[in-house]
């Protein structure tokens, strides 16, 4: 039986007292001490796991001041902090055992844009892509690029001095920082900007901050005195990161000093950066991209210098492993036409070359490169197999989207060993890169490791992710061995191990790079800002005489916790274990379908990454109690009385399972994660597994039984629909339903019913024997309509119109008997019930599959359930039956279906397609398919990118979710609908149409209904 689960990770007394004291101040932000919230912030995109004491979400710079000022008192001067933004670090940059200061939830505003002078002022928590959304109408963008730009914050970029594609032209983040506003360890604010050398003689005129005056005086002095040694010792690299930039605080003439350059790249070890004034880059008027295909990765690398010499803005390289993983991912549909195969050849490497600038300049560079490539292909030179060019901006963005997803895609590698980040951002002089890579590959091959490679070859930066199993003690030890070897190898080639992503826990390699004297200067600077080592302690350097760094490459890793979970349990919960922390589920855009629950709450426990983290700990705690979760899944529940007692005591008795439940109950089960996540983490799958076990100990809500049993009850209710509607749709019944079951806005049954609408219609004469006796030719003219509970019983008119469409197209429809799909039962975790429903339906549909007649369903969520959840629960017993969506059935038939007479320009009907989020993520080409179908029938169909509508099956009907459901609808659906004529709106999902009717007051059509008017 499921036991009460407790953990030993209680808050240290000093932190508990500090948080209680903070709550009594004027601090306006959030203080989160929940174990679940701490776990969600215990990892980033690295292999490390440090559990923080709590998470603080300040709402303003004043909140940060209050927090640090309180911690500066004698009572709390042992409390430590680490600022955090998107949590995308690859080496534990923001992880801590102290307090997390998360600025991403509230401090995420663009404060000011000055287009005339080309700058913007922002808060540290604004996401990079969100900033560019705000800048685009003004003709500018913030040009330092990075693969995590849809969730990485500007504060994080400043703290790691981030850069990415195009850095040779656009530079690093530090090249665009004009001013910073930071909170020092004593709670005071320090504003930094470039100042003339003469002004340093009177620091009181530069700032009234006493600590800031000392910092300006001492750091300007020491950096000036050490300048020659700095220039001699520091590698000459485009991507150089010291942690503290001792070189560029002074300009070349030593006439200007900028303390901000010390803060950029400091990884939160010196101050908490809260605001920045940033230099902006004008948007290029023309962009062009050339995708060059090679016979080997080495050929791609050795060709790169020539491409840089061609004055390219960007040169990005990926190897065949990354390309092959992309081919297996949802992202490939968007780029496959832009990176076509070369007949008779195998593409083993790819260079993506972009030119950006004014039109004439770009066209000249593009023509010149294409001429050179054509000659090289003809002569068999440089390993070039072929190339493709595009000047279409959306296409270029799609290619970059594929490249940006490469980091996460490597986590989808099959097997226990997964490519991981730890030595993944090496930088060497570009002219030495190819030789360096060959030796790097030999190093990894010597350890018999698989790996993926991609990077910014124009800057000499390579991302290499060796595949290791962090649950294997020997592989964990190998990680340290390889780290040491790579650190030495980069020094040999005049480079750095941390060329782009910051140091994080790799500070131990600092002395070898900087030498004792300069390393001592770094320690001195740390001591000036943070003498007691309380800001992100253990990273980069520690103050002098404070002992060794607290963290290093051997610090606690997630694998040390995961290996406590038995292998057979890990195999039973692969989605839980495979999450690699890449954080794509934190995508900021409300027009992205990825994880609506995180978007609407801003709480990381309500994200796939957070939920995976919580579930891993749940599995670990179960094992610590000696409970086999696989046996538990098959166990019978406690008796009813015991479950009542357990539920009544739930608030009194702590049970970690409640924290997991809180997280998973917020999931909409939209399944966007199962396709949008690079490693395909399927939260609804393990959510159902958890519900199934959790409710062995606790009572289920009555509404769960209502939802799970809806498919059983609908055929009975449809026998007296008017009576049922009368009983359920009056105000008293609706009030009672809300108060007793927590269920609102239940739809009315269709009147007349589907059966009544089709009374006497030939399609109702289902007879398996008769169908079996049909000739093959006759069978090809029949279409079997698979019913779903929502359209058949709540929108019967739509089913009728589909039957009419089938007939109008010259086919004979056959309405199959209603068989419960089981999706509602699965969502609520009734796995035994779902398995029985699935088996019954699968057996029935497999009989029909043998007839080789098309089977078509209307609702995307239900049709896709046959493909996904059925395969998961039934395995081989699912059989090979296929139920198509309407567009999937129609598309191959277009060549055989007569098109109407051509219409004159301007008279073609126009429609806008709103896709169901499950459909748009699992089948991203759906909109394009409908466009081709409508175009065939003389109409224009526009598709729109949207997030979740907020209904998601029954989620939006549950009282506890109504407010979030409304907020989600308002994020992307409501503004898009407001810009679209009601008669043009086409919505494929039943739940989406219900939501539109509920909150927008209009009843949209399904695409097939509009199509019926065109045929």
């Amino acid at each position: 039986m499921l036991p009460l689960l407790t953990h030993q990770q209680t808050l240290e007394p000093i932190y508990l007292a500090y948080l209680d004291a903070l709550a009594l101040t004027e601090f306006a932000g959030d203080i989160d001490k929940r174990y679940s919230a701490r776990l969600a912030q215990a990892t980033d995109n690295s292999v490390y796991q440090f559990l923080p004491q709590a998470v603080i979400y300040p709402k303003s710079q004043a909140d940060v001041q209050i927090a640090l000022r309180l911690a500066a008192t004698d009572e709390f001067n042992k409390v430590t902090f680490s600022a955090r933004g998107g949590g995308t670090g690859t080496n534990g940059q923001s992880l801590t055992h102290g307090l997390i200061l998360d600025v991403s939830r509230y401090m995420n505003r663009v404060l000011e844009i000055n287009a005339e002078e080309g700058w913007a002022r922002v808060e540290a928590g604004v996401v990079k892509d969100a900033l560019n959304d705000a800048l685009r109408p003004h003709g500018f963008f913030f040009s330092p690029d990075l693969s995590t730009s849809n969730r990485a914050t500007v504060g994080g970029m400043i703290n790691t001095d981030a850069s990415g594609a195009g850095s040779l032209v656009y530079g690093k983040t530090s090249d665009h920082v004009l001013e910073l506003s930071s909170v020092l360890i004593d709670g005071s604010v320090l504003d930094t900007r470039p100042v003339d050398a003469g002004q340093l003689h009177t620091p009181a005129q530069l700032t009234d901050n006493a600590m800031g005056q000392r910092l300006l005086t001492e750091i300007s002095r020491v950096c000036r005195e050490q300048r020659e040694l700095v220039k001699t010792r520091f590698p000459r690299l485009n991507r150089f990161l010291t942690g503290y930039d001792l070189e560029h605080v002074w300009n070349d003439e030593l006439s200007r000093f900028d303390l901000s350059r010390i803060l950029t790249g400091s990884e939160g070890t010196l101050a908490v950066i809260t605001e920045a004034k940033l230099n902006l880059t004008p948007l290029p008027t023309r962009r062009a991209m050339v995708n060059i295909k090679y016979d080997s990765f080495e050929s791609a690398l050795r060709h790169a210098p020539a491409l840089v010499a061609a004055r390219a803005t960007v040169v990005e390289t990926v190897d065949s492993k990354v390309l092959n993983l992309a081919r297996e991912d949802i992202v490939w549909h968007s780029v496959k036409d832009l990176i076509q195969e070369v007949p008779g050849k195998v593409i083993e490497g790819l260079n993506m070359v972009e030119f950006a600038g004014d039109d004439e300049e770009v066209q000249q560079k593009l023509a010149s490169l294409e001429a050179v490539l054509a000659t090289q292909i003809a002569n068999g030179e440089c390993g070039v197999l072929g190339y493709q060019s595009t000047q279409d901006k959306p296409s270029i963005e799609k290619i970059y989207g594929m490249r940006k997803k490469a980091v996460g895609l490597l986590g989808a590698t099959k097997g226990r060993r997964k490519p991981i980040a730890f030595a993944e951002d090496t930088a060497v002089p570009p002219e030495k890169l190819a030789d360096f890579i060959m030796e790097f590959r030999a190093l990894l091959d010597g350890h018999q490791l698989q790996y993926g490679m991609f990077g910014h070859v124009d800057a000499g930066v390579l991302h290499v992710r060796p595949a290791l199993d962090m649950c294997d003690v020997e592989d964990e030890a190998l990680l340290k061995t390889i780290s040491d070897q790579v650190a030495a190898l980069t020094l040999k080639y005049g480079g750095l191990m941390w060329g782009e992503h910051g140091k994080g826990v790799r500070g131990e390699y600092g002395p070898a790079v900087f030498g004792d004297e300069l390393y001592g200067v770094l320690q001195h600077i740390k001591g000036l800002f943070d003498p007691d080592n309380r800001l992100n302690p253990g990273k980069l350097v520690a103050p002098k005489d404070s002992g060794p760094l607290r963290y290093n490459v051997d610090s606690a890793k997630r694998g040390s916790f995961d290996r406590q979970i038995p292998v057979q349990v890990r195999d039973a919960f692969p989605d839980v274990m495979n999450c690699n922390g890449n954080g794509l589920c934190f995508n900021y855009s409300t027009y992205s379908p990825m994880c609506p629950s995180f978007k609407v709450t801003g709480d990381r426990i309500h994200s796939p990454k957070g939920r995976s983290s919580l579930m891993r700990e749940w599995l670990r705690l179960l094992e610590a109690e000696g409970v086999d979760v696989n046996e538990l899944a098959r166990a019978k529940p406690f008796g009813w009385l015991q479950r009542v007692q357990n539920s009544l005591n739930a608030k009194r008795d702590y049970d970690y399972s409640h924290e997991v439940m809180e997280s998973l109950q917020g999931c909409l089960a939209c399944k966007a994660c199962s396709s949008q996540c690079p490693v395909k983490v399927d939260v609804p799958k393990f959510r159902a597994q958890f519900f199934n076990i959790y409710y062995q100990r606790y009572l289920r809500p009555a509404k769960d039984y209502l939802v799970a049993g809806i498919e059983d009850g609908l055929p009975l209710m449809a026998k007296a629909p008017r009576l049922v509607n009368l009983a359920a749709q009056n105000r008293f019944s609706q009030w009672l339903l809300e108060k007793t079951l927590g269920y609102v806005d239940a739809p009315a049954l269709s009147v007349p019913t589907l059966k009544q609408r089709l009374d006497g219609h030939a399609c109702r004469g289902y007879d398996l024997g008769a169908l079996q006796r049909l000739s093959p030719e006759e069978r090809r003219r029949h279409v079997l309509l698979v019913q779903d509970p929502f359209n058949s019983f709540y929108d019967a008119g739509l089913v009728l119109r589909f039957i009419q469409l089938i007939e109008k197209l010259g086919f004979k429809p056959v309405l199959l008997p209603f068989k419960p799909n089981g999706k509602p039962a699965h969502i609520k975790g009734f796995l035994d019930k779902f398995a029985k429903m699935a088996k019954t339906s699968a057996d029935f549909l497999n009989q029909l599959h043998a007839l080789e007649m098309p089977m078509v369903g209307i609702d995307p969520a239900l049709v896709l359930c046959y493909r996904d959840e059925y395969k998961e629960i039934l395995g081989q017993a699912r059989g090979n039956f296929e139920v198509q969506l309407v567009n999937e059935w129609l598309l191959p038939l277009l060549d055989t279906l007569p098109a109407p007479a051509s219409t004159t320009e301007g008279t073609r009907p126009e429609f806008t397609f709103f896709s169901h989020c499950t459909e748009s993520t699992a089948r991203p080409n759906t909109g394009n398919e409908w466009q081709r179908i409508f175009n065939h029938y003389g109409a224009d169909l526009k598709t729109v990118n949207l997030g979740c509508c907020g209904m998601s099956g029954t989620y939006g009907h549950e009282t506890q979710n109504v407010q979030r459901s409304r907020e989600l609808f308002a994020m992307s659906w409501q503004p898009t609908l407001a810009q679209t004529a009601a008669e043009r709106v086409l919505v494929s999902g039943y739940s989406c149409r219900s939501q539109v009717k509920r909150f927008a007051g209009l009843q949209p059509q399904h695409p097939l209904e509009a199509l019926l008017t065109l045929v």
Side-chain angles (χ1 to χ4, degrees), residues 12-30:
E12 295 176 18
I14 187 175
Y15 284 94
L16 190 58
Y18 170 81
L19 295 171
D20 289 342
L22 183 63
L24 297 176
T25 68
E26 295 181 353
F27 182 81
D30 301 337

Side-chain angles (χ1 to χ4, degrees), residues 806-822:
I806 293 170
E807 291 177 320
K808 206 168 182 179
L809 293 173
F811 295 91
K812 294 182 178 180
V814 177
L815 184 68
L816 297 179
F818 174 71
K819 297 286 184 182
N821 173 282

Side-chain angles (χ1 to χ4, degrees), residues 24 59 166 194 224 281 328 352 393 400 498 514 558 670 764 792 807 829 834 846 851 925 939 941 972:
L24 297 176
K59 288 188 174 180
R224 187 168 189 144
T281 305
E328 298 170 8
M352 297 171 286
K393 289 183 180 179
Y400 278 127
W498 50 89
F514 305 124
R558 200 190 100 182
C670 66
R764 284 190 55 203
S792 288
E807 291 177 320
F834 174 65
N846 276 311
L851 301 176
N925 211 35
L941 182 70
S972 61

Side-chain angles (χ1 to χ4, degrees), residues 659-677:
E659 297 203 51
V660 182
M661 174 56 79
E662 178 193 4
S663 170
L664 294 177
Q665 274 186 325
C667 171
L668 281 75
C670 66
K671 291 185 72 68
C673 52
S674 66
S675 55
Q676 294 289 293
C677 171

